[in-house]
Amino acid sequence: MEDTTPLSRDTALNDLTVIWPLSDEDHLTTNKHNVWWRDVLRESTLEGHHTKAVQLGPRYGSILFIVSEVMFLFAFFWASSHSSLAPTVEIGGIWPPKGIGVLDPWEIPFLNTPILPSSGAAVTWAHHAILAGKEKRAVYALVATVSLALVSTGFQGMEYYQAPSNISDSIYGSTFFLATGFHGFHVIIGTLFLIICGIRQYLGHLTKEHHVGFEAAAWYWHFVDVVRLFPFVSIYWWGGI
Amino acid sequence: MAASMARSGLRSASLLLRGGTKGRAGAPTKRSFSSSAHDDAHETAKWEKITYAGIVTCTILAIYNLSKGHHHGEEPPAYPYLHIRNKEFPWGPNSLFEKKHADH
């Protein structure tokens, strides 16, 4: 892990090539996709094409993508607030609608809220470990990050299983499950992103000076863990009592 | 060229003024990033501790939360805005999580 000479990088890249072999029957979209990413990794690590100027592209792209994601989730919180701030007469004029069973916000929702920021602390730990050249610590930190993420998803699943309402129960169910479900979906995407970063860190792809993929994953993860506070306060707590 | 020399001179001067690099004053200046390796080692240790504190907090909270159990509410009357079914799901009339009503 300590040796990051081009030779060991080459070996590491060959390890990835075993996972993603270039096939003659390259008609499957997933295989084309994988081979494309393999080329990106080769260009970035072995061939050194990702200069500081080239790295700016994915940085700007990631930031714009996250901004668009913020707007996407904002729309769901808007929908929830729109329906709950002035509940219509058809749902009894109250929020939560009359007859809707809601989750106690201080049970699993409250438990699940600090798990993602803890995972965010772990990804910051991983970032500093990469900057300090502590390659093994960075792998451990990413394992901690991903583990906390999986625990969070597990609790979210448990919460949905125990929920007294579902998505077809009035505007409450629609907005509740759309907002929390899309947040949970983003947690899963971020977890996959971090797993890829963990594998790349293990293979020695990420260096002190060059780890754009990891940075994008960390930004995305902070976005996901900060956004969790909004559904907790506005949907589970304020909207559920 | 002149601009870069001026920048380099300014950087050396600022390093000297900060006083942290007395021994290296004569050595060629290295590009300094916002955080040096020493700071990163310190930050790594700090965030590792914060992560452990978070894990401990979440574990205690989980044990407390899961041990106290949860109550089940009464089945509400069949208001028209509840349990909306306009068409069947591909797998049948009930949603995927609906079995819970039978076994809870």
Side-chain angles (χ1 to χ4, degrees):
Chain A
M1 285 305 297
E2 298 299 321
D3 186 6
T4 53
T5 57
L7 187 66
S8 76
R9 290 269 188 85
D10 193 21
T11 317
L13 280 166
N14 284 335
D15 289 345
L16 267 188
T17 317
V18 174
I19 305 171
W20 296 330
L22 180 61
S23 161
D24 287 337
E25 296 167 4
D26 190 21
H27 54 274
L28 290 174
T29 311
T30 47
N31 197 40
K32 277 182 187 158
H33 185 249
N34 292 342
V35 171
W36 180 69
W37 276 111
R38 183 204 63 184
D39 284 351
V40 171
L41 296 186
R42 283 182 176 176
E43 286 155 13
S44 96
T45 52
L46 183 64
E47 297 174 5
H49 290 318
H50 290 195
T51 60
K52 291 284 173 198
V54 171
Q55 289 175 33
L56 274 180
R59 274 173 210 274
Y60 287 146
S62 301
I63 289 167
L64 287 171
F65 173 63
I66 290 170
V67 168
S68 78
E69 292 275 71
V70 168
M71 294 174 184
F72 175 80
L73 286 169
F74 187 80
F76 296 127
F77 296 127
W78 187 289
S80 173
S81 302
H82 171 92
S83 308
S84 60
L85 285 167
T88 60
V89 70
E90 288 87 347
I91 55 171
I94 51 165
W95 193 269
K98 194 168 165 55
I100 275 279
V102 295
L103 290 158
D104 181 351
W106 302 108
E107 288 178 357
I108 293 178
F110 181 63
L111 163 62
N112 219 357
T113 301
I115 294 177
L116 285 180
S118 299
S119 185
V123 86
T124 305
W125 168 24
H127 199 174
H128 286 297
I130 290 171
L131 290 173
K134 295 171 181 289
E135 297 179 356
K136 272 191 181 161
R137 297 312 281 175
V139 174
Y140 299 153
L142 280 167
V143 168
T145 311
V146 169
S147 305
L148 284 163
L150 294 175
V151 169
S152 168
T153 302
F155 277 127
Q156 189 73 31
M158 193 171 153
E159 175 192 305
Y160 276 17
Y161 186 75
Q162 293 185 347
S165 59
N166 64 39
I167 199 165
S168 61
D169 286 334
S170 81
I171 186 68
Y172 179 88
S174 306
T175 53
F176 177 91
F177 284 100
L178 213 61
T180 60
F182 262 115
H183 179 259
F185 180 54
H186 282 76
V187 170
I188 292 168
I189 296 169
T191 309
L192 294 172
F193 201 171
L194 288 163
I195 288 172
I196 295 292
C197 286
I199 294 171
R200 293 192 63 207
Q201 173 63 21
Y202 179 75
L203 293 176
H205 288 195
L206 309 179
T207 67
K208 278 185 204 181
E209 292 84 15
H210 184 186
H211 45 267
V212 180
F214 171 84
E215 277 181 319
W219 290 340
Y220 191 80
W221 198 237
H222 287 309
F223 149 70
V224 168
D225 75 45
V226 169
V227 163
R228 165 71 196 182
L229 302 175
F230 290 90
F232 177 71
V233 173
S234 72
I235 294 179
Y236 288 100
W237 185 12
W238 182 82
I241 293 181
Chain B
M1 183 68 183
S4 73
M5 278 170 70
R7 266 205 300 274
S8 161
L10 279 172
R11 205 183 296 134
S12 317
S14 72
L15 278 173
L16 274 174
L17 282 174
R18 262 185 259 156
T21 51
K22 276 174 191 152
R24 296 173 38 204
T29 53
K30 203 171 161 243
R31 181 175 167 191
S32 55
F33 292 92
S34 57
S35 50
S36 70
H38 173 74
D39 287 342
D40 282 316
H42 175 75
E43 289 289 306
T44 307
K46 183 176 95 186
W47 283 97
E48 186 171 350
K49 286 189 199 102
I50 294 173
T51 304
Y52 293 150
I55 292 171
V56 169
T57 309
C58 293
T59 308
I60 293 169
L61 198 59
I63 293 167
Y64 171 72
N65 237 311
L66 298 176
S67 61
K68 79 178 177 187
H70 63 279
H71 71 282
H72 295 276
E74 298 285 304
E75 276 292 309
Y79 293 112
Y81 49 84
L82 298 183
H83 201 73
I84 296 161
R85 290 287 180 279
N86 295 323
K87 62 177 183 183
E88 276 198 359
F89 294 110
W91 51 84
N94 290 329
S95 80
L96 281 177
F97 298 101
E98 218 131 34
K99 257 191 179 162
K100 68 184 178 189
H101 292 302
D103 61 24
H104 257 55

